[in-house]
Amino acid sequence: ELDTTIEEETVEAKLSNDRIASYVSDEDPDFVPGDASAESADEDSEGEEAIVEVVEEVDAVKDVVEEVKEVVEDVVEEVKEVVEDVVEEVKEVVEDYVEEVVEEVEDLVEKVADTIEDVVEKVAETIEDAVEKIADEVEDKIDVEEAGEADEELD
């Protein structure tokens, strides 16, 4: 024999007056169960209307949030493009400035090299002049000494 007590309780629970009284039909929101009053039906209807209003307001807020999201995304994209443009312009300015600095440094290095070359030439000339002067002085001394020795021989 089968035990049907659980099924009977379930069916009884489903058919209970409380359960039936709390049922709200989608087709007839003003439906009043047999043991409910017309006042409670009005209250239920008002509650449903309030819920519908809240849902509509939530949907409206969702729409506004979506619009704001789209506007923010557009603004972010525009800002991104502007930042990229600014970065590109700064990059070009920096590159131009670096090129100018490199050219100036190259010119300065060339001037320094020319100056060093001029100084080396002057030092070389000065040394040559000094060596020639010393050589001439030594030669003169040798000539004077030889002349002095020759005079002594003649005497």
Side-chain angles (χ1 to χ4, degrees):
E1 188 169 306
L2 293 172
D3 183 16
T4 59
T5 56
I6 295 176
E7 289 180 23
E8 287 174 13
E9 289 175 5
T10 306
V11 171
E12 285 177 20
K14 287 183 180 179
L15 296 176
S16 73
N17 283 339
D18 292 336
R19 175 89 181 222
I20 290 173
S22 65
Y23 174 76
V24 177
S25 170
D26 291 338
E27 294 177 13
D28 185 8
D30 294 327
F31 170 76
V32 179
D35 61 339
S37 68
E39 259 182 48
S40 70
D42 287 342
E43 290 173 4
D44 289 346
S45 181
E46 289 173 5
E48 289 174 8
E49 289 174 9
I51 290 172
V52 168
E53 286 178 22
V54 168
V55 168
E56 288 173 353
E57 288 177 16
V58 167
D59 287 342
V61 168
K62 284 181 182 178
D63 292 343
V64 169
V65 167
E66 187 61 33
E67 289 176 22
V68 168
K69 178 184 170 193
E70 290 173 8
V71 168
V72 167
E73 287 173 348
D74 291 345
V75 168
V76 165
E77 187 62 32
E78 289 176 19
V79 167
K80 180 182 173 187
E81 290 173 7
V82 167
V83 167
E84 287 173 351
D85 290 346
V86 167
V87 166
E88 189 61 34
E89 287 180 26
V90 167
K91 181 181 173 184
E92 289 174 7
V93 167
V94 168
E95 285 175 352
D96 291 346
Y97 181 73
V98 167
E99 285 178 18
E100 289 176 19
V101 168
V102 166
E103 288 174 5
E104 288 179 17
V105 168
E106 287 174 346
D107 290 346
L108 288 173
V109 166
E110 191 175 317
K111 287 179 182 176
V112 168
D114 290 346
T115 302
I116 290 172
E117 191 175 307
D118 292 345
V119 167
V120 167
E121 286 177 13
K122 286 182 183 178
V123 167
E125 288 175 6
T126 303
I127 290 172
E128 283 178 19
D129 290 347
V131 167
E132 283 180 23
K133 186 176 179 184
I134 292 171
D136 287 346
E137 288 177 8
V138 168
E139 217 174 89
D140 288 345
K141 275 191 176 186
I142 291 174
D143 288 342
V144 168
E145 285 181 15
E146 285 179 358
E149 287 177 12
D151 281 342
E152 283 180 17
E153 288 182 10
L154 289 175
D155 283 335

